[in-house]
């Protein structure tokens, strides 16, 4: 029988784990690198839990290792060991100690459950956002400003963002890992009706920056591609943003492109006060970080899903299904010129609000 | 323990429990009824969750339910449970003909209950309360309909058992079948009491 | 109506023997073969999932196919592989452990197998008829409703599981009655082996959990096929209602999966340490408590659905509490080994490997129980890691332990030890490689059920490692299959007391067990009935009855046809062909009628036909 030293195998595993844990992940995506008070409180609970659990694991592993090595049957040993029925004292110990550990974990847990469920939707200092999830995009409405936008949630730093979340179709889940835990979006009628199925949560970004958002409930083929962004800016920039959202938007100067846009796009989308708000609003699409939530706008494309805003728009409009399988946007019939013109026009629909 | 044993002329006092097979069947059936409790419990929970979702323009529970019809149906089913008890008593007393008589009465009452329920459902559909009308209606028909289906199955089952006893007589093999079908019949009666209360009475009171 | 003992009864050979058997031992083997085959199907689906995910923005499979793969992988592994393999061991072992000659309802036992089998076949037919279900094994609505899943996939899920579920419920009732009514004389409840206790509690869980699933599937079927409104929000339905109903079944289901594994571990560790189980009474109590608490925690799968802080707090605490009886069991196993004489057979390697692995899975469970933290973990790879640790690292290692341990009793041969150790190490290392790293993927922000992920997020290397680990697990499985084949061809024949240290009744009879199990029902004089006799210097059990004619139940083809009837009916209802649907149901009812009207007198095995003569009274 081969003698195997469990320690030799487990130690590198543990070391690796610790190393990985210390590589806390991206500041804009990792739950281990919280960037706001809600994620921080949740991370604190995670650390408490894992510390307690590591003690348990070490105790169990230590006893396991010991018995495996010490009580191995040596060759030729045919003795019958003493048959032990049990030991009351031991059994009490390993019932009471886990119970105590659970109390240590349970009390802060219950505290946080109630603390983090605080409802900021009536708080005058908080920014209200109504989140509606769709297959496969995110709709954001700011009732205090009467602003409709999509895919990118612009917020001021240091303020509570009071979210009321609902779904326009199937279940989705609204998750910004670096800022807060997720909340499911359940289907129901318009949030304005105060429907009972809307869920509330809040979060806050301490620092300015872009935080990655993910859908976290299987919702169809493009569940994996239903990303959104949270963009936290200083208060002044946010005020400029809200003001700029209300400013009138000019349609394309070229009449042919304008006609095509109105006919093909504004039957589903809105730009400024033109068009309809059924599908993602395109008012400031040129300023957004992505097209379709998944094609990242950049001048230095590194990955398959990156390109300039113009390229991304062309790619998306040309064949939405190829970018996001299952999307409800149809393949719109456009000539090469119309496609170019519309893509160029949209890529220039920018709002300048950051300093 | 062989199921063959049958002393000519004299059945043991509780013939359904005289063999291991019989005892197994009775225990197994009690356990099955435990599962049925969970089944109906879940149906009741779904109904309770959805009973307010009547939808605009559709008749409400209060408007639909006629308590006198439901009271008659309840009386019929409860009485059939009583006749089922008489049948079991006759089984224990070894009185084959009395037992069959009471079983026939039980079946007739069961059929009467079903007839009344079919009439009731037809009325509701006529008044605009169909299976697909609303969440309330779907859960109503599923819950009450499942119960009705259980009654129908019970009627068929007891009918077949009557046939078997007529052909093979009252033995330690047929006795457990009679006993167990009696348990089943009592169970669906108990479920009806809950339906009467939760669906109809609470529907009227609101 | 008295009958002489000499009635002619059909006794079949070959394929007909297997199609008509009501013998628990053969049914156990049927469950093992079918469950094993479905395990390979589910494993193939897993490999394809991991291939798709080995690098970002991969296109090995499309998004649609990927969602079908994850749905079928979960559904197949839980319902068609893990549970049937547990039923295989239950069938093979329980009657032997309690000194009985069969289960309480042999006919129903066969019916249970065939309904599971045809339910599983029906579900997998969906791959060939335009699409497998793709809404996850949890089939949440509205995604699984007719609006958003307008093709037949989810119908296959609903009907396949409904049919397979009938089999499971039947099995649960069968084993409850068997254990309550058919123990050998002297075997009180507190003298039952731990595996028997585990199956007893598991069967109670099955009894009370499966009807909830039945109702859920009926409601979903009614919504999809008949336009009902249980989950149709437009007409007042409620999507979260599905989640409640599903998880009231779903949480006990995972305890149904793990409690038998706990039972197996108790048997294997005790036998190969040459020591009785430490703290038997608290093990029994802990098992009962886990079973009971298992029904109180379902909403911990729903912390993020908006139940409110009171519900979240209560379910957090209840969930954490289950860790206490589970911990009791872990320590009892460790202290069974303490002071023992431990032999590391393959079976014992799996059992000992189970302990640290399952503990790792269990502690991540306690982490998940803290609701506010769960708001981060939920629906991320952290959860995927957790449940694979407890199901694969717990249940599957337990099944491997049980198979290596009881193989001699089932098949009369010892599995090859070298191949067994090879199986263990490749599977064990591959397993940890696949799933340990997934905890971190979840914490770093990778959601679950995603068919691909973007480059540059820090997920690449970890996904690659996970995929390599999956291939290692596949290799381990191949070693096991090789072992089965090698053993079948030239394996060492096994003695009755195959491991020489048998403590329980199954080791007192020849390997494989004879058709009638015990020539004479044994008399049980204590816990670890056989060990007790050995320690008192006896080589065999004392019989509790004289040698006599043994009554056996007759084989029957009806369970097969009843299940075929349900299979046909399922297709009929799915495709709105009520002729076919009604026809299938008619076949099933006809079989039920025949069964009811024709008395089964069974047949007898006479003392002179017995292989081992036993003690003549």
């Amino acid at each position: 029988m081969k003698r195997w030293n469990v320690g030799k195998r487990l130690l590198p595993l543990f070391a690796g784990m610790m190393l990985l844990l210390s590589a806390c992940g991206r500041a804009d995506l990792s739950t281990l690198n919280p960037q706001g008070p809600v994620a921080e409180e949740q991370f604190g609970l995670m650390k408490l839990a894992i510390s307690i659990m590591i003690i348990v694991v070490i105790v169990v592993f230590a006893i396991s290792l010991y018995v495996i090595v010490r009580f191995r049957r040596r060759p030729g040993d045919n003795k019958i060991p003493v048959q032990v029925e049990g030991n009351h004292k031991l059994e009490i110990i390993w019932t009471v100690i886990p119970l105590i550990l659970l109390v240590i974990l349970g009390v802060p847990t219950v505290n946080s459950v109630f603390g983090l469920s605080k409802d900021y939707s009536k708080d005058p200092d908080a920014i209200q956002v109504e989140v509606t999830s769709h297959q496969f995009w995110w709709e954001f409405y700011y009732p205090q400003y009467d602003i409709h936008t999509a895919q990118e949630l612009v917020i001021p730093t240091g303020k509570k963002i009071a979210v009321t979340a609902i779904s326009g179709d199937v279940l989705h889940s609204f998750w910004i890992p670096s800022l807060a835990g997720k909340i499911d979006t359940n289907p129901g009628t318009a949030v304005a009706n105060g429907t009972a199925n809307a869920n509330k949560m809040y979060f806050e970004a301490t620092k300015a920056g872009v935080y990655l958002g993910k859908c976290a409930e299987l919702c169809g083929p493009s569940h994996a591609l239903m990303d959104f962004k949270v963009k936290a800016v200083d208060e002044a920039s946010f005020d400029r943003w809200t003001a700029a959202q209300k400013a009138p938007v000019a349609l394309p100067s070229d009449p042919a492109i304008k006609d095509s846009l109105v006919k093909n796009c504004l039957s589903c989308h809105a730009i400024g006060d033109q068009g309809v708000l059924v599908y993602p609003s395109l008012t400031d699409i040129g300023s957004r970080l992505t097209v379709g939530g998944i094609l990242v706008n950049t001048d230095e494309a590194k990955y398959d899903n990156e390109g300039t805003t113009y390229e991304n728009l062309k790619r998306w409009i040309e064949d939405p299904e190829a970018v996001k399988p299952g999307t409800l946007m149809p393949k719109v019939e456009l000539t090469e010129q119309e496609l170019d013109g519309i893509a160029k026009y949209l890529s220039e629909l920018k709002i300048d609000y950051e300093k | 323990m062989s199921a063959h044993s049958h002393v000519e002329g004299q059945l043991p006092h509780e013939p359904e429990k005289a063999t291991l097979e019989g005892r197994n069947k009775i225990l197994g059936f009690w356990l099955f009824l435990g599962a049925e409790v969970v089944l109906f419990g879940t149906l009741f929970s779904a109904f309770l969750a959805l009973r307010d979702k009547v939808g605009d323009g559709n008749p409400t529970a209060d408007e639909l339910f006629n308590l006198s019809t439901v009271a008659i149906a309840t009386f019929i089913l409860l009485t059939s449970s009583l006749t089922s008890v008489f049948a079991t008593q006759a089984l224990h007393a070894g009185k084959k003909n009395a037992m069959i008589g009471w079983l026939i009465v039980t079946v007739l009452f069961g059929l009467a209950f079903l007839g009344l329920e079919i009439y009731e459902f037809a009325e509701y559909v006529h008044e605009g309360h169909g299976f697909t009308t609303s969440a309330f209606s779907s859960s109503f028909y599923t819950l009450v309909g499942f119960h009705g289906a259980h009654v129908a199955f019970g009627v068929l089952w007891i009918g077949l058992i009557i046939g078997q006893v007529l052909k093979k007589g009252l033995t330690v093999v047929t006795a457990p079948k009679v006993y167990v079908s009696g348990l089943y019949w009592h169970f669906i009666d108990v479920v009806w009491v809950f339906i009467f209360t939760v669906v109809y009475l609470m529907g009227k009171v609101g | 109506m008295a009958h002489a003992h000499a009635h002619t009864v059909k006794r079949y050979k070959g394929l007909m023997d297997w199609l008509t058997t009501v013998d628990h031992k053969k049914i156990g083997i049927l469950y093992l073969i079918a469950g094993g085959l479905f395990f390979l199907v589910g494993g193939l689906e897993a490999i394809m999932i991991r291939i798709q995910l080995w690098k970002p923005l991969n296109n090995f499979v499309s998004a649609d196919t990927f969602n079908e793969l994850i749905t079928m992988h979960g559904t197949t592994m839980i319902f068609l592989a893990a549970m049937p393999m547990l039923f295989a061991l239950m069938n093979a072992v329980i009657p032997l452990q309690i000194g009985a000659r069969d289960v309480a309802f042999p006919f129903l036992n066969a019916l249970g197998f065939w309904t599971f089998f045809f339910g599983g076949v029906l579900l997998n037919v969906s791959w060939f008829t335009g699409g497998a279900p793709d809404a996850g094994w949890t089939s949440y609505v509205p995604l699984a409703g007719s609006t958003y899943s307008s093709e037949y996939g989810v119908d296959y899920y609903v009907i396949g599981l409904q049919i397979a579920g009938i089999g499971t419920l039947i099995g649960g009732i069968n084993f409850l009655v068997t254990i309550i009514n058919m123990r050998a004389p002297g075997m009180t409840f507190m003298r039952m082996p731990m595996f028997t206790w585990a199956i007893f509690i598991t069967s109670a869980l099955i009894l009370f959990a499966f009807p909830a699933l039945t109702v859920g599937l009926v409601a979903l079927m009614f919504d999809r096929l008949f336009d009902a409104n249980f989950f149709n929000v437009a007409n007042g339905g409620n999507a979260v209602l599905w989640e409640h109903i599903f998880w009231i079944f779903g949480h006990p289901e995972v305890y149904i999966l793990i409690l038998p594994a706990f039972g197996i571990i108790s048997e294997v560790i005790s036998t190969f340490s040459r020591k009785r189980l430490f703290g038997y009474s608290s093990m029994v109590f802990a098992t009962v408590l886990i079973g009971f608490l298992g029904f109180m925690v379902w909403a911990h799968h729903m912390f993020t659905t908006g139940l409110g802080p009171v519900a979240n707090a209560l379910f957090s605490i209840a969930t954490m509490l289950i860790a206490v009886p589970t911990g009791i069991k872990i320590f009892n196993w460790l202290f069974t080994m303490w002071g023992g004489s431990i032999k590391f057979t393959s079976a014992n390697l799996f059992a000992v490997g189970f302990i640290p692995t399952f503990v790792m899975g269990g502690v991540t469970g306690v982490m998940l129980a803290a609701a506010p933290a769960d708001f981060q973990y939920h629906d991320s790879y952290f959860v995927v890691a957790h449940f694979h640790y407890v199901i694969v690292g717990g249940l599957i290692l337990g099944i491997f332990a049980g198979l290596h341990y009881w193989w001699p009793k089932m098949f009369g041969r010892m599995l090859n030890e070298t191949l067994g150790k090879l199986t263990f190490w490749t599977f064990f290392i591959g397993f940890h490689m696949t799933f340990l790293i997934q905890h971190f993927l979840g914490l770093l922000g990778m959601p679950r059920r995603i068919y691909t992920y973007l480059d540059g997020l820090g997920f690449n290397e970890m996904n690659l490692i996970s995929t390599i680990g999956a291939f290692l697990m596949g290799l381990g499985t191949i070693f096991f299959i090789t072992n089965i084949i090698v053993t079948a061809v030239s394996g060492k024949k096994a003695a009755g007391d195959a491991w020489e240290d048998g403590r329980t009744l199954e080791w007192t009879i020849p390997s494989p067990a004879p058709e009638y199990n015990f020539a004479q029902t044994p008399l049980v004089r204590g816990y670890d009935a056989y060990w007790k006799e050995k320690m008192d210097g006896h080589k065999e059990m004392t019989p509790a009855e004289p040698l006599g004619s043994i009554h056996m139940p007759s084989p029957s083809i009806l369970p097969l046809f009843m299940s075929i009837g349900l299979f046909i009916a399922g297709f009929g209802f799915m495709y709105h062909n009520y002729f076919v649907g009604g026809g299938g149901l008619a076949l099933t009812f006809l079989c039920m009628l025949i069964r009811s009207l024709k008395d089964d007198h069974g047949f007898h095995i006479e003392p002179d036909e017995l292989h081992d003569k036993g003690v003549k009274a």
Side-chain angles (χ1 to χ4, degrees):
Chain A
M1 187 65 45
K2 225 173 33 172
R3 180 193 274 249
W4 51 288
N5 190 335
V6 180
K8 283 214 193 91
R9 289 172 209 273
L10 282 187
L11 214 52
L13 199 69
F14 272 129
M17 267 170 73
M18 292 304 125
L19 196 69
L20 279 170
L21 205 67
S22 65
C24 295
R26 293 171 62 125
D28 59 358
L29 182 60
S30 173
T31 66
L32 302 177
N33 204 337
Q35 301 298 315
V38 174
E40 263 161 29
E41 186 171 339
Q42 290 163 338
F43 183 49
L45 203 54
M46 284 158 62
K47 282 189 287 194
L48 174 65
I50 199 167
S51 311
I52 300 175
M53 291 302 119
I54 283 185
I55 298 174
V56 171
V57 166
I58 288 176
V59 169
V60 171
F61 276 40
I63 302 177
S64 306
L65 247 119
Y66 179 72
V67 292
I68 289 171
V69 172
R70 169 75 178 78
F71 298 108
R72 262 169 52 252
R73 191 176 307 175
R74 315 284 191 248
D77 175 9
N78 269 325
K79 233 172 21 131
I80 305 288
V82 174
Q83 306 288 299
V84 180
E85 245 184 76
N87 181 320
H88 263 355
K89 198 151 82 168
L90 276 178
E91 297 188 27
I92 292 177
I93 290 177
W94 63 57
T95 308
V96 169
I97 292 187
L99 275 171
I100 293 175
L101 293 178
L102 287 188
V103 171
I104 296 176
L105 180 58
V107 171
T109 298
V110 173
N111 273 336
S112 276
V113 167
F114 284 93
L116 292 175
S117 70
K118 190 152 180 270
D119 181 4
Y120 283 94
S121 59
K122 308 280 190 310
D123 187 321
D125 228 8
I127 307 290
Q128 306 295 323
V129 178
E130 288 170 9
V131 174
T132 308
S133 60
H134 302 272
Q135 284 176 321
F136 299 98
W137 60 280
W138 294 92
E139 178 185 347
F140 304 120
Y141 174 62
Y142 301 70
Q144 295 157 312
Y145 306 95
D146 193 29
I147 291 175
H148 289 272
T149 183
Q151 304 290 48
E152 211 156 281
L153 187 58
V154 177
I155 58 169
T157 54
K159 285 262 177 137
K160 295 274 184 298
I161 314 299
V163 169
T164 309
I166 201 150
S167 177
D169 40 43
V170 301
L171 298 182
H172 301 265
S173 196
F174 178 75
W175 190 30
I176 319 156
S178 52
L179 293 180
K182 61 189 65 71
I183 194 78
D184 286 0
T185 57
N186 298 324
T189 49
V191 179
N193 296 342
T195 176
N197 274 339
N199 283 336
K200 294 195 191 206
M201 57 93 79
Y202 75 92
F203 69 94
E204 183 185 321
T206 333
K207 297 193 284 240
V210 174
Y211 303 95
L212 306 189
K214 302 253 170 216
C215 174
E217 184 64 66
L218 178 65
C219 53
S222 280
H223 165 58
L225 306 176
M226 204 171 139
D227 286 1
F228 64 97
K229 306 272 180 282
V230 173
K231 191 160 174 192
V233 295
D234 61 73
E235 260 200 83
S237 302
F238 181 71
D239 289 335
R240 275 191 292 273
W241 181 82
T242 53
Q245 285 285 331
K246 289 301 185 185
V249 186
L251 289 182
S253 44
D254 181 328
I257 303 295
K258 180 173 129 184
D259 275 342
S260 183
L261 182 84
V262 171
K263 192 179 75 156
N264 289 306
C265 309
L266 294 188
S267 44
C268 294
H269 294 278
I271 297 180
D273 55 4
Q274 312 253 29
V276 291
L277 275 170
V278 184
Y279 292 102
S281 152
L282 301 177
T283 302
D284 59 348
I285 188 163
S287 300
R288 292 196 198 146
L289 297 155
T290 64
V291 169
I294 199 69
L295 298 175
V296 175
N297 298 331
T298 170
D299 289 326
E300 290 155 16
K302 241 169 81 178
Y303 306 122
D304 250 350
N305 66 314
E306 296 185 339
T308 64
T309 312
Y310 168 72
E311 286 166 354
N312 286 341
L313 281 163
K314 268 192 76 172
R315 179 175 167 186
W316 170 256
I317 299 171
E318 205 163 21
D319 193 353
E321 178 73 23
V323 179
K324 266 184 162 175
T327 180
L328 272 86
M329 173 150 162
K331 211 160 138 73
V332 185
E333 286 304 318
L334 296 172
T335 67
E336 198 56 46
Q337 279 162 307
E338 288 172 334
L339 180 60
D340 269 342
I342 290 177
K344 186 162 177 301
Y345 163 74
L346 290 175
S347 67
E348 287 161 5
L349 275 186
K350 296 185 206 253
I351 296 183
D352 186 15
Y353 60 97
E354 289 181 278
K355 264 289 173 295
Chain B
M1 193 58 239
S2 167
H4 299 199
S5 65
H6 166 78
V7 178
E8 214 65 62
Q10 194 66 30
L11 269 183
H13 167 59
E14 282 181 319
E16 69 274 9
K17 297 193 177 134
T19 59
L20 176 63
E21 283 87 348
R23 290 193 296 277
N24 282 350
K25 280 186 179 164
I26 292 170
L27 176 60
F29 201 77
W30 273 110
L31 293 172
F32 173 71
L33 289 181
E36 288 262 80
V37 168
V38 176
L39 186 104
F40 276 101
T42 312
L43 284 170
F44 272 106
S45 304
F47 176 78
L48 285 170
L50 300 175
R51 70 189 191 109
D52 290 328
K53 305 287 192 272
V54 176
D56 293 326
N58 298 320
T60 62
D62 189 23
E63 290 161 8
L64 282 167
F65 300 150
N66 178 339
L67 277 188
S68 8
T69 318
V70 175
I72 296 173
T74 306
F75 176 73
I76 290 175
L77 205 61
L78 284 176
T79 309
S80 74
S81 230
L82 183 63
T83 56
S84 169
V85 170
F86 292 154
T88 306
Q89 283 179 337
L91 167 71
H92 288 160
K95 297 195 173 124
K96 185 177 90 169
N97 290 329
M99 183 192 88
I100 289 180
W102 285 118
L103 286 179
I104 291 176
V105 174
T106 305
V107 164
L108 288 174
F109 274 126
L111 284 168
F113 174 89
L114 283 173
L116 210 54
E117 190 157 81
I118 292 172
Y119 163 74
E120 177 202 352
F121 283 5
E123 281 289 300
Y124 294 158
V125 172
H126 187 66
E127 287 165 33
H129 177 72
F131 183 66
T132 63
T133 308
S134 64
F136 161 63
S137 72
S138 298
S139 59
F140 167 83
Y141 281 110
T142 304
L143 170 60
V144 184
F146 251 67
H147 173 265
H150 275 73
V151 175
F153 183 82
V155 160
L156 186 64
W157 184 15
I158 295 178
L160 286 170
I161 287 178
I162 293 172
Q164 279 193 59
V165 175
L166 282 173
K167 185 157 173 256
K168 298 177 193 170
L170 202 50
T171 68
V172 288
V173 174
T174 54
K177 299 187 191 209
V178 175
Y179 186 81
V180 150
S181 64
L183 288 180
Y184 178 79
W185 197 257
H186 295 308
F187 173 73
I188 56 176
D189 198 31
V190 170
V191 173
W192 177 255
V193 171
F194 280 91
I195 290 181
F196 176 70
T197 311
V198 173
V199 176
Y200 292 98
L201 285 184
M202 279 169 63
K204 277 301 201 191
V205 167
Chain C
M1 287 280 246
H3 292 264
H5 289 167
H7 13 75
T8 41
V9 161
K10 273 204 154 84
R11 300 259 275 176
Y12 299 101
K13 284 195 151 54
L15 180 63
M16 274 306 273
D17 183 18
W18 290 92
L19 295 180
T20 60
T21 186
V22 295
D23 178 345
H24 70 97
K25 299 180 286 298
K26 289 214 175 71
I27 291 173
I29 293 175
L30 286 172
Y31 267 115
L32 184 60
I33 296 173
L37 283 171
F38 281 122
F39 181 77
L40 295 179
V41 170
L44 185 63
E45 285 155 355
I47 297 275
M48 290 176 73
I49 292 168
R50 284 309 328 162
I51 292 177
Q52 166 64 14
L53 292 173
W54 79 264
K55 70 170 185 178
L57 293 175
N58 200 2
N59 59 358
F60 175 67
V61 293
S62 68
D64 275 313
T65 306
F66 184 87
N67 287 351
E68 291 175 325
L69 283 171
I70 51 145
T71 303
M72 290 299 279
H73 167 73
T75 310
T76 299
M77 284 308 207
I78 291 178
F79 289 104
L80 308 180
M83 293 198 67
M85 289 198 286
L86 286 176
F87 268 72
L89 292 174
M90 280 160 71
N91 268 289
V93 174
I94 294 297
L96 303 184
Q97 274 199 343
I98 62 172
R101 292 210 166 95
D102 206 316
V103 293
F105 306 111
F107 178 93
L108 283 182
N109 204 12
L111 180 63
F113 169 74
W114 288 111
T115 45
F116 137 67
F117 179 72
F118 280 103
V121 169
L122 188 139
L123 183 59
N124 279 281
V125 164
S126 64
W127 281 118
F128 305 106
T129 56
D134 57 359
W137 89 278
T138 51
S139 201
Y140 278 7
V141 293
L143 182 64
S146 43
T147 312
Y148 300 100
S149 283
S150 51
E151 297 181 350
Y152 289 102
V154 177
D155 295 323
Y156 278 91
Y157 171 90
V158 166
I159 293 184
L161 283 189
Q162 195 73 281
I163 297 177
I166 295 174
T168 312
L169 186 63
I170 290 175
I173 296 179
N174 215 343
F175 281 93
L176 278 170
V177 177
T178 305
I179 293 172
I180 293 175
N181 273 359
M182 294 170 70
R183 284 163 286 133
M187 185 175 280
T188 59
F189 274 101
M190 292 310 274
R191 285 178 178 176
M192 292 194 320
M194 207 53 226
F195 181 63
T196 304
W197 262 114
I199 298 308
F200 184 59
I201 307 295
T202 302
S203 301
L205 290 180
I206 290 175
L207 185 73
F208 294 119
F210 269 77
L213 178 68
T214 305
V215 170
L217 292 175
V218 161
L220 183 57
M221 180 177 86
F222 281 3
D223 266 27
R224 288 182 60 85
L225 297 183
F226 306 124
D227 283 328
N229 298 302
F230 284 96
F231 314 116
N232 179 359
V233 179
N235 280 351
N238 190 322
V240 179
L241 178 64
W242 166 266
E243 292 190 50
H244 279 294
I245 296 179
F246 183 84
W247 286 114
I248 285 187
F249 152 75
H251 196 81
E253 164 67 10
V254 309
Y255 290 104
I256 291 169
L257 291 178
I258 202 63
L259 289 185
F262 286 167
I264 297 172
I265 302 304
S266 293
E267 302 286 336
V268 172
I269 288 198
S270 174
T271 302
F272 292 111
S273 306
R274 282 196 171 143
K275 269 187 77 204
R276 65 175 285 158
L277 189 65
F278 188 96
Y280 171 82
S281 334
S282 24
M283 287 295 255
V284 170
F285 177 67
T287 312
V288 172
L289 197 56
I290 292 173
F292 176 72
L293 284 176
F295 277 95
M296 309 280 154
V297 300
W298 79 91
H300 67 223
H301 301 271
M302 298 165 62
F303 280 145
T304 59
T305 61
L307 299 173
V310 175
N312 280 4
L314 286 171
F315 280 101
S316 281
I317 301 302
T319 307
M320 290 181 195
L321 281 176
I322 297 195
V324 177
T326 312
I328 288 176
K329 290 178 97 65
I330 301 281
F331 287 113
N332 276 316
W333 288 319
L334 291 177
F335 278 84
T336 303
M337 293 197 282
W338 190 293
S341 172
I342 309 175
K343 187 169 181 217
F344 284 102
T345 55
S346 309
N348 205 22
L349 273 177
F350 279 105
V352 174
F354 168 103
I355 294 177
T357 312
F358 183 79
V359 167
M360 288 168 73
V363 299
T364 52
V366 176
M367 289 170 71
L368 286 160
D374 183 63
F375 276 65
Q376 289 283 40
Y377 307 133
H378 177 67
D379 262 324
S380 77
Y381 261 83
F382 189 85
V383 178
V384 177
H386 160 72
F387 65 69
H388 281 97
Y389 256 80
V390 283
I391 298 184
V392 182
L395 172 63
I396 298 295
L397 288 186
I399 289 182
F400 271 124
L403 286 176
H404 282 87
Y405 181 58
W406 278 307
W407 200 270
K409 189 55 55 184
M410 291 172 76
F411 297 100
R413 295 180 183 228
M414 310 294 285
L415 283 171
N416 181 292
E417 275 295 313
T418 310
L419 280 170
K421 292 184 168 66
L422 214 51
T423 306
F424 171 73
W425 286 111
T426 18
F427 193 84
F428 190 71
I429 292 174
F431 164 79
H432 283 283
M433 213 174 149
T434 311
F435 294 109
L436 184 60
I437 209 130
Q438 289 188 2
H439 293 99
F440 298 100
L441 278 172
L443 294 174
L444 295 181
M446 184 173 175
R448 65 183 281 205
R449 292 174 166 170
I450 54 173
Y451 84 97
T452 190
Y453 50 94
L454 297 180
D455 207 337
L457 296 179
F459 300 160
N460 302 9
E461 294 78 13
M462 292 191 237
N463 270 294
L464 177 60
I465 294 174
S466 187
T467 299
I468 296 174
F471 275 94
L472 261 180
M473 286 170 72
L475 190 60
T477 309
I478 292 176
F479 282 135
F480 184 64
I481 296 174
T482 310
N483 200 348
I484 295 177
I485 299 174
V486 161
T487 302
V489 168
S490 60
K492 196 175 83 169
K493 290 232 188 312
D497 190 5
W499 301 105
E500 290 167 359
D501 279 326
R503 309 177 74 90
T504 41
L505 288 179
E506 72 267 33
W507 305 111
T508 66
I509 55 179
S511 301
E515 191 181 357
Y516 46 83
N517 298 351
F518 298 88
Q520 292 162 279
T521 302
L523 181 67
V524 170
R525 298 197 300 117
Y527 170 65
D528 273 344
Y530 189 25
W531 182 264
K532 184 167 171 59
E533 299 297 324
K534 284 181 182 176
M535 294 301 107
D536 286 349
H538 305 138
K539 284 220 160 48
E540 291 175 342
M541 302 296 297
T542 311
E545 60 175 357
L547 212 51
S549 168
I550 301 177
H551 177 254
M552 304 290 292
S554 305
S556 170
I557 197 73
L558 293 175
L560 175 67
F561 279 105
M562 279 173 77
S563 307
I564 290 177
L566 289 175
F567 180 75
I568 294 172
F571 276 103
F573 285 114
M574 227 188 312
Y575 288 95
H576 292 275
N577 184 335
Y578 297 114
F579 234 174
V580 173
L585 284 182
L587 175 59
T588 303
F589 276 117
L590 179 65
C591 292
M592 285 171 75
L593 207 62
I594 296 175
R595 172 67 181 169
S596 202
L597 298 178
K598 249 184 64 162
D599 284 336
D600 171 16
H601 298 299
F603 63 96
H604 285 87
I605 296 181
E606 303 302 332
D608 49 32
E609 298 172 74
L610 300 181
H611 298 169
D612 60 357
K613 293 303 175 185
V615 173
K616 296 212 194 300

